[in-house]
Amino acid sequence: MVWNGKTCSECGGKNLNPTVDEWMKRTFRFVENGQLKMCEDCGAKFLVCKKCGNLYTRVHPALEPWEVSEKCPSCGYVDPEVKAWDGVSAR
């Protein structure tokens, strides 16, 4: 099943609310200038697409480059900051 970017990719939850995670903002450059939403059901956090407002990719402390979505699954937008992330952006 292909993830649509409108529900939680981990549990299928539909209640996702804006959240602030200072650690992730410091660790991932693309989160620093973006917005996060968190699933109320399982706690998974997602970067929000700057173009359509749906979920772009899941973000977590042990994030690996291969886990990051290359483009928004809803509208196809490619965020240049996400694309440039190489997994070694921790400060």
Side-chain angles (χ1 to χ4, degrees):
M1 184 168 142
V2 176
W3 180 53
N4 63 9
K6 297 178 183 178
T7 60
C8 177
S9 63
E10 303 305 298
C11 73
K14 296 179 182 178
N15 296 320
L16 295 120
N17 293 311
T19 189
V20 176
D21 187 314
E22 293 299 328
W23 182 87
M24 285 193 193
K25 286 174 76 170
R26 289 189 310 272
T27 304
F28 303 115
R29 183 177 55 236
F30 58 86
V31 174
E32 182 178 38
N33 299 317
Q35 178 188 12
L36 291 177
K37 283 191 177 180
M38 184 172 75
C39 176
E40 283 186 20
D41 297 326
C42 72
K45 294 178 183 174
F46 299 87
L47 181 68
V48 175
C49 179
K50 293 176 183 174
K51 186 173 180 184
C52 73
N54 286 319
L55 308 177
Y56 191 100
T57 193
R58 181 166 180 235
V59 183
H60 59 86
L63 191 65
E64 296 287 337
W66 59 268
E67 296 176 285
V68 178
S69 299
E70 293 181 10
K71 62 183 177 179
C72 175
S74 296
C75 71
Y77 172 72
V78 176
D79 187 322
E81 289 186 30
V82 175
K83 186 175 181 180
W85 184 71
D86 59 7
V88 190
S89 61
R91 297 179 204 161

